[in-house]
């Protein structure tokens, strides 16, 4: 029998690798210089047609800084017309009333704004530009005036770990509809020495679990697949059964979606499992997207939990967690190796977790 492949639920697209900032942690090591061979507007539209032919995922227009690309509104409109839910990820420093109006007209449904600390000092150090914090807050003010929904994204690292509670408070004060934390992945300019320790991961994710229970805004931990283990461990202790009613969207999804529900497309049309794992699945200029999504070797391996090695391979949580494949790759050169930032010791028999 031929196995059916589900269509992607979420695609992050690096519309451009160029950026007006120079963040210390940037996965794309983005700078003001733009590669000469970025996908053209026509190629971008063709890609959207291919995606829409497969399903109707959320399309995240990302970068680099997507607002530095002049055809961003045209591309967003095309995605919207193709029936995709188009959202855009920005550092927020370039937002003006005119730009926000154009994003609205293009049907963009939500923006994510990166704030990496509760103070200007922390954020600006992270973002490599004095004044970035103030400019981002000014951008958010423009969004608020236009009544445009936005979420705050924070990348957690040693540089801002102790400010995370305050950054969450700031996101709520600013009127964000959601707060998504990303845990630093050591790729591009991201450095391993800035990653929080496995024990701190555990501490922050337990805090996150508690916050999620009472938060009025949506909370999501990205690139922290351990969260899905912690959620189950805690729920079990509390005698709660995980369901959509008790845990919302988190009950239906799993830790790492790279290659199963998610993929990343670079500014030159290279397809990867995520923006942090430099293992190429295929190139849009050489193959149809459908073929890459359905047949590439790396996606096939990521779709099979039996391929996981080390302690992830014998872990009873492997189907809901799967570890961060990009961290495993950064640490060992093998993306199927065990997640290096997880303190959990799997049960010896590796039987399925029973909650
Ligand atoms: C609605 C507005 C949203 C925005 C603007 C947004 C933004 C982002 C961005 C910028 C990334 C990183 C992509 C990259 O550069 O590699 C990302 C990753 C991700 N987001 Fe969101 N997101 C949004 C909503 C959601 C929702 C609703 C979900 C859940 C379905 C979601 C799930 C994810 C996942 C799974 C990743 C994968 C990270 C990875 O493996 O690389 N996002 N999101
Ligand atoms: C799209 C989101 O990804 C974040 N981001 C950029 N580089 C990295 C990295 N190396 N690790 C984790 N998150 C990162 C940005 O800060 C933005 O908030
Ligand atoms: S993280 Fe975003 S804002 Fe910062 S340099 Fe990279 S692309 Fe630019």
């Amino acid at each position: 029998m031929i196995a059916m492949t589900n269509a992607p639920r979420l695609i992050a697209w690096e519309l451009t690798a160029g950026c007006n900032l120079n963040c210390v942690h940037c996965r794309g090591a983005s700078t003001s210089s733009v590669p000469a061979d970025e996908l053209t507007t026509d190629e971008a539209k063709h890609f959207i047609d291919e995606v829409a032919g497969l399903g109707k995922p959320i399309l995240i227009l990302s970068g680099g800084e997507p607002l530095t690309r002049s055809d961003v509104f045209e591309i967003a409109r095309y995605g919207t017309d193709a029936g995709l839910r188009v959202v855009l990820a920005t550092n927020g420093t370039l937002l003006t009333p005119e730009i926000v109006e154009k994003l609205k007209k293009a049907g963009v449904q939500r923006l994510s704004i990166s704030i990496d600390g509760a103070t200007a000092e922390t954020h600006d150090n992270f973002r490599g530009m004095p004044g970035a914090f103030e400019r981002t807050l000014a951008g958010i003010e423009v969004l608020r005036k236009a009544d445009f929904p936005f979420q705050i994204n924070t990348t957690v690292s040693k540089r801002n770990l102790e400010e995370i509670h305050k950054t969450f408070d700031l996101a709520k004060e600013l009127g964000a509809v959601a707060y998504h934390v990303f845990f630093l992945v050591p790729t591009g300019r991201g450095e391993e020495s800035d990653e929080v320790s496995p024990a701190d991961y555990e501490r922050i994710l337990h805090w996150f679990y508690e916050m999620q229970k009472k938060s009025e805004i949506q909370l999501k931990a990205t690139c922290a697949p351990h969260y899905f283990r912690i959620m189950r461990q805690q729920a079990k202790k509390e005698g709660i059964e995980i369901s959509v009613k008790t845990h919302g969207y988190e009950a239906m999804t799993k830790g790492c979606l790279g290659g199963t529900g998610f993929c990343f497309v670079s500014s030159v049309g290279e397809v990867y499992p995520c923006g942090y794992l430099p293992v190429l699945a295929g190139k849009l200029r050489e193959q149809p997207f459908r073929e890459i999504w359905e047949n590439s070797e790396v996606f096939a391996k990521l779709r099979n939990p039996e391929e996981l090695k080390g302690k992830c391979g014998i872990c009873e949580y492997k189907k809901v967690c799967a570890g961060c494949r990009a961290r495993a790759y950064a640490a060992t050169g093998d993306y199927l190796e065990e997640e290096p930032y997880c303190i959990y010791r799997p049960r010896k028999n590796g039987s399925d977790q029973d909650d």
Side-chain angles (χ1 to χ4, degrees):
M1 196 176 79
I2 299 170
M4 285 292 288
T5 311
N6 292 326
R9 297 210 318 247
L10 195 75
I11 297 176
W13 185 5
E14 181 190 51
L15 269 194
T16 175
C19 187
N20 61 324
L21 298 186
N22 197 2
C23 303
V24 286
H25 70 306
C26 183
R27 53 143 283 278
S30 288
T31 64
S32 55
S33 78
V34 180
D37 52 346
E38 280 186 345
L39 294 185
T40 63
T41 312
D42 282 346
E43 285 175 318
K45 288 181 177 173
H46 176 67
F47 171 52
I48 289 172
D49 290 338
E50 290 192 284
V51 169
L54 258 184
K56 297 285 174 267
I58 300 178
L59 184 65
I60 305 167
L61 304 182
S62 183
E65 177 48 51
L67 294 178
T68 61
R69 204 175 145 141
S70 58
D71 57 0
V72 61
F73 311 106
E74 189 179 344
I75 292 171
R77 181 76 250 168
Y78 198 85
T80 304
D81 289 344
L84 310 184
R85 179 162 185 236
V86 179
V87 300
L88 182 136
T90 170
N91 61 44
T93 59
L94 301 173
L95 292 170
T96 61
E98 294 72 37
I99 285 179
V100 172
E101 196 46 42
K102 285 186 182 167
L103 290 170
K104 249 188 189 174
K105 283 209 176 109
V108 174
Q109 305 211 359
R110 193 196 281 183
L111 254 53
S112 71
I113 310 280
S114 304
I115 297 193
D116 293 321
T119 61
E121 195 189 351
T122 312
H123 180 84
D124 291 357
N125 280 338
F126 223 99
R127 294 260 144 195
M129 185 174 109
F133 190 68
E134 286 308 319
R135 284 179 61 178
T136 296
L137 292 187
I140 289 175
E141 193 46 37
V142 174
L143 290 176
R144 284 168 65 103
K145 285 206 174 113
D147 213 11
F148 199 114
F150 65 93
Q151 67 180 55
I152 300 295
N153 287 351
T154 300
T155 303
V156 180
S157 81
K158 277 187 190 146
R159 295 167 183 261
N160 59 7
L161 175 67
E162 300 311 331
E163 265 176 49
I164 190 76
H165 313 76
K166 283 192 186 154
T167 315
F168 174 43
D169 289 342
L170 176 64
K172 286 186 287 190
E173 272 164 40
L174 291 171
V177 295
Y179 185 57
H180 288 197
V181 289
F182 290 67
F183 282 75
L184 181 74
V185 186
T187 189
R189 276 197 295 267
E191 289 192 18
E192 209 202 315
S193 57
D194 273 343
E195 279 194 275
V196 300
S197 69
D200 281 334
Y201 259 96
E202 210 71 12
R203 180 164 62 87
I204 295 294
L205 292 175
H206 275 89
W207 167 75
F208 215 67
Y209 180 79
E210 291 308 315
M211 288 300 112
Q212 203 159 41
K213 281 189 208 157
K214 54 186 181 205
S215 174
E216 322 78 72
I217 70 170
Q218 184 217 8
L219 285 170
K220 191 168 87 66
T222 295
C223 306
H226 345 26
Y227 183 72
F228 292 81
R229 160 178 54 80
I230 291 172
M231 190 173 106
R232 280 166 176 80
Q233 289 172 313
Q234 293 307 102
K236 191 172 186 180
K237 273 190 205 152
E238 293 158 359
I240 303 171
E241 198 155 320
I242 303 244
S243 69
V244 177
K245 214 169 154 196
T246 57
H247 292 76
Y249 168 76
E250 308 284 270
M252 301 185 307
T253 186
K254 61 173 190 158
C256 175
L257 293 176
T260 52
F262 177 80
C263 71
F264 174 88
V265 176
S266 81
S267 63
V268 296
E270 293 161 342
V271 182
Y272 295 96
C274 79
Y276 313 104
L277 176 56
V279 177
L280 187 67
K283 297 183 180 182
L284 296 180
R285 282 177 171 143
E286 292 175 5
Q287 260 178 302
F289 176 64
R290 176 190 286 274
E291 212 173 281
I292 299 171
W293 178 254
E294 289 179 352
N295 302 330
S296 91
E297 185 188 329
V298 60
F299 289 168
K301 289 203 163 142
L302 291 172
R303 284 171 195 155
N304 181 3
E306 300 314 314
E307 293 277 355
L308 292 172
K309 299 179 185 169
K311 71 174 186 174
C312 288
I314 56 158
C315 184
E316 63 273 25
Y317 291 102
K318 70 179 172 187
K319 288 186 189 149
V320 291
C321 168
C324 171
R325 300 295 103 225
R327 270 190 208 105
Y329 181 82
T332 67
D334 180 350
Y335 62 88
L336 294 167
E337 265 302 341
E338 66 187 33
E339 149 78 64
Y341 279 72
C342 170
I343 60 166
Y344 183 67
R345 288 182 192 196
R347 289 179 203 161
K348 283 211 180 68
N349 65 10
S351 59
D352 270 4
Q353 46 94 19
D354 52 12
D355 37 14

